[in-house]
Amino acid sequence: MLKRFANRGFVESFNSLPTAATAVAKSGHLDELIVLEQIGARRSFAREAEIYAEGDHPDCWFRVISGTVRLCKLLADGRRNIAEFLHSGEFFGLDDGDERFCSAEAVDDIIIMRFPKSATERLIAKRPELAMRLCNLTLRNLSRAQERMMLLGCMSAAERIASFLLELTERRDLGRFLDLPMTRRDIGDYLGLTTETVSRTLTAFKRDGVIAIPSMHRIEIRDREALEALAEA
Amino acid sequence: MLKRFANRGFVESFNSLPTAATAVAKSGHLDELIVLEQIGARRSFAREAEIYAEGDHPDCWFRVISGTVRLCKLLADGRRNIAEFLHSGEFFGLDDGDERFCSAEAVDDIIIMRFPKSATERLIAKRPELAMRLCNLTLRNLSRAQERMMLLGCMSAAERIASFLLELTERRDLGRFLDLPMTRRDIGDYLGLTTETVSRTLTAFKRDGVIAIPSMHRIEIRDREALEALAEA
DNA sequence: CGCCAGTTTGACCAAGATCAACGCAAGTGG
DNA sequence: CCACTTGCGTTGATCTTGGTCAAACTGGCG
């Protein structure tokens, strides 16, 4: 298990951005990640299970080992927004203050690593660099959130879906084939669209030969150029 | 010490949330603010001036002393999204990585405090708590971004405008009267609406007696209840 | 085999965008 | 000091996108 931390691949996935890996590798702080591992405990959740609810007291944070997690916010009348999908290697739940800002739910069957806040704080007291590390991770998340505000505020349905597909391929580089563990409704709530519009747009992309849909939860990128043109119109 | 991390007094004052004054007095963290002050330099910018551009190398961060700042993202074809408005007391520009995620511009004439990144890092080396503090500030910003993704993804024009007006009164508690330093276009780009829709919606609110518009950049909240009902429909 | 949740498809509708004209107030220059 | 310009805001008419409602379809799974 610790072997995974010695490997650059892990570090990369931890931050899920390329520059993080080199930064960590150069700074020689791999040992901290191992320490972090020591205070973490594995837990698994079934599809659709709630990991925590909005408003809960945040006493720990998590890293996804396998599967996909969604962070949700609900409005009184049931309208839902998915703030973020988290894939394997990504972290979530590092909320400040007394209440969770979002709820966290398992999209499919998942395994996650749980880090108690108290143990993290003790670790930070010993190794203050870790605070800076967490700060940078949070800044990354903020930057992604800003990206998505742009998407929600400015983009058409087709542009949103194209961006979404490209985001997925970039965050989990699986080549041309992409699996979508989430439902059309999840995608809609993530992109500010209805299931119908998501479905129609995907069908249109298929008709135009941009993608293929071998099965409901699987998509093949057939024309990445076209998708990129659609995304950054 | 760990207790101090949990204490939100400083963070609140720094973000100019309502309880600011009392929180600072109680928390006894003024010393750190003073230290921070020592590495900062005052700078002023005229209305519409650019503080930094998207893609610039981030070598410093800022706190607003007076006036209003906007963080913008642009799409190739000119569509614009305003990621955030920053008012006096609030901080911005703490970007991770090699590039600014957004550009920063002065909405009106402003005075800001500039903190070089290098000096901040030296300060953090001496006072590691500061890193945790900055992390919490960033988490606050992230939480606000999530709030706004909900707004952009789920809400009608009227709900967005109502939320916007309430957000302003909460962030800068000036009683019933509210001044809007930004243009209708800025508001539109912040809320994912056009100027026309912003204008029409404000006019509708005025017609219904919810607000009054004594001058173009000034609004009076006449029926806060109604506004709150509209915002959280 | 039949049920059920999720998906797709179609017809219709409405919110907000777009296009266009006009109003108004703050400069600007003669 | 006043005509002129200019930029922003408001208002109205029309159009488009995506939402809504409803029905049919599909693929797992007991």
Side-chain angles (χ1 to χ4, degrees):
Chain A
M1 176 198 284
L2 292 179
K3 189 170 65 180
R4 298 183 58 194
F5 294 111
N7 132 354
R8 277 179 64 125
F10 164 79
V11 173
E12 222 161 71
S13 71
F14 187 80
N15 274 320
S16 79
L17 280 176
T19 49
T22 44
V24 170
K26 276 190 298 195
S27 64
H29 286 316
L30 281 172
D31 51 344
E32 277 152 28
L33 294 175
I34 293 169
V35 178
L36 209 46
E37 184 82 347
Q38 286 165 353
I39 66 168
R42 252 160 218 264
R43 301 188 58 179
S44 60
F45 290 83
R47 183 174 161 283
E48 295 295 309
E50 182 178 86
I51 302 164
Y52 56 75
E54 192 174 346
D56 278 4
H57 184 73
D59 57 352
C60 56
W61 56 288
F62 304 88
R63 197 164 62 85
V64 181
I65 306 291
S66 72
T68 300
V69 170
R70 63 171 178 251
L71 303 185
C72 305
K73 269 180 166 326
L74 284 173
L75 242 39
D77 60 2
R79 278 177 287 179
R80 185 180 69 155
N81 179 258
I82 294 183
E84 191 66 89
F85 287 116
L86 288 317
H87 308 287
S88 83
E90 300 178 329
F91 88 104
F92 66 96
L94 193 61
D95 294 317
D96 177 39
D98 294 333
E99 298 201 347
R100 294 287 189 191
F101 307 138
C102 297
S103 67
E105 296 155 9
V107 171
D108 47 6
D109 293 339
I110 59 165
I111 301 170
I112 57 181
M113 186 72 87
R114 180 183 184 278
F115 304 107
K117 235 182 172 179
S118 53
T120 309
E121 279 163 1
R122 281 195 296 278
L123 209 55
I124 285 174
K126 273 192 300 203
R127 303 173 157 277
E129 320 86 271
L130 187 58
M132 203 58 189
R133 200 71 48 80
L134 294 178
C135 185
N136 286 342
L137 287 174
T138 307
L139 282 166
R140 279 310 146 87
N141 282 348
L142 182 59
S143 152
R144 268 214 301 249
Q146 288 170 348
E147 208 78 53
R148 224 143 63 65
M149 289 193 296
M150 169 74 115
L151 177 146
L152 293 169
C154 301
M155 288 187 173
S156 70
E159 288 168 346
R160 295 182 201 199
I161 300 279
S163 300
F164 173 69
L165 295 177
L166 289 172
E167 185 200 347
L168 275 187
T169 61
E170 273 154 33
R171 275 166 78 172
R172 357 171 29 199
D173 47 355
L174 313 158
R176 291 186 311 138
F177 286 93
L178 197 56
D179 61 344
L180 305 175
M182 65 291 286
T183 65
R184 301 291 189 259
R185 178 150 191 286
D186 284 337
I187 299 173
D189 289 348
Y190 183 62
L191 300 177
L193 302 168
T194 58
T195 44
E196 292 96 327
T197 301
V198 172
S199 180
R200 270 188 257 271
T201 307
L202 286 174
T203 306
F205 284 0
K206 184 173 69 177
R207 182 173 18 78
D208 299 345
V210 177
I211 61 170
I213 311 181
S215 87
M216 239 156 42
H217 291 278
R218 201 161 175 76
I219 281 186
E220 181 194 353
I221 312 282
R222 297 188 73 93
D223 187 350
R224 168 170 275 270
E225 319 275 286
L227 215 50
E228 279 162 358
L230 279 162
E232 179 66 40
Chain B
M1 171 171 195
L2 294 178
K3 191 73 180 162
R4 295 173 65 194
F5 288 154
N7 181 328
R8 289 157 58 190
F10 169 83
V11 169
E12 276 176 9
S13 75
F14 211 72
N15 268 329
S16 78
L17 292 172
T19 48
T22 44
V24 166
K26 278 189 299 195
S27 69
H29 284 317
L30 280 172
D31 52 335
E32 275 152 28
L33 275 175
I34 292 167
V35 176
L36 210 46
E37 195 87 349
Q38 285 165 354
I39 65 167
R42 250 161 220 266
R43 299 188 59 179
S44 60
F45 290 84
R47 184 174 161 281
E48 294 297 308
E50 182 178 86
I51 302 164
Y52 55 76
E54 192 175 345
D56 278 4
H57 184 72
D59 56 353
C60 55
W61 56 288
F62 304 88
R63 196 161 64 89
V64 181
I65 306 291
S66 72
T68 299
V69 169
R70 62 169 179 252
L71 303 185
C72 306
K73 269 181 167 322
L74 285 172
L75 241 39
D77 61 1
R79 278 176 287 178
R80 186 180 68 156
N81 179 257
I82 294 184
E84 191 66 88
F85 288 115
L86 288 317
H87 307 289
S88 82
E90 299 178 331
F91 88 104
F92 67 96
L94 192 62
D95 294 318
D96 178 37
D98 294 333
E99 299 201 347
R100 294 286 189 193
F101 306 139
C102 298
S103 67
E105 296 155 9
V107 170
D108 46 7
D109 292 341
I110 59 164
I111 301 171
I112 57 180
M113 186 73 89
R114 179 183 184 279
F115 303 107
K117 235 182 173 179
S118 52
T120 308
E121 276 161 9
R122 281 196 296 277
L123 208 55
I124 285 174
K126 273 192 299 200
R127 302 172 157 276
E129 321 87 90
L130 188 57
M132 199 61 185
R133 206 65 56 76
L134 293 178
C135 186
N136 286 342
L137 287 173
T138 307
L139 282 166
R140 251 350 122 81
N141 282 349
L142 182 59
S143 151
R144 269 214 300 248
Q146 286 171 349
E147 209 77 53
R148 223 143 64 64
M149 288 193 297
M150 169 73 114
L151 178 145
L152 293 168
C154 301
M155 288 188 172
S156 71
E159 289 167 345
R160 293 182 202 200
I161 300 278
S163 300
F164 173 69
L165 294 177
L166 288 172
E167 185 201 347
L168 275 188
T169 61
E170 273 155 34
R171 275 165 77 172
R172 358 171 29 199
D173 46 355
L174 312 158
R176 291 186 311 139
F177 285 94
L178 198 56
D179 60 344
L180 305 175
M182 64 291 286
T183 65
R184 301 289 190 260
R185 179 152 191 285
D186 284 336
I187 298 173
D189 288 348
Y190 183 63
L191 299 177
L193 302 169
T194 59
T195 45
E196 292 95 329
T197 301
V198 172
S199 181
R200 271 187 255 271
T201 307
L202 286 174
T203 306
F205 284 0
K206 185 173 68 176
R207 182 174 20 76
D208 299 346
V210 177
I211 61 170
I213 312 183
S215 87
M216 237 157 45
H217 290 279
R218 201 161 174 75
I219 280 185
E220 181 193 353
I221 312 283
R222 298 187 71 94
D223 187 351
R224 171 170 273 269
E225 320 275 286
L227 214 51
E228 279 163 358
L230 278 161
E232 179 64 43

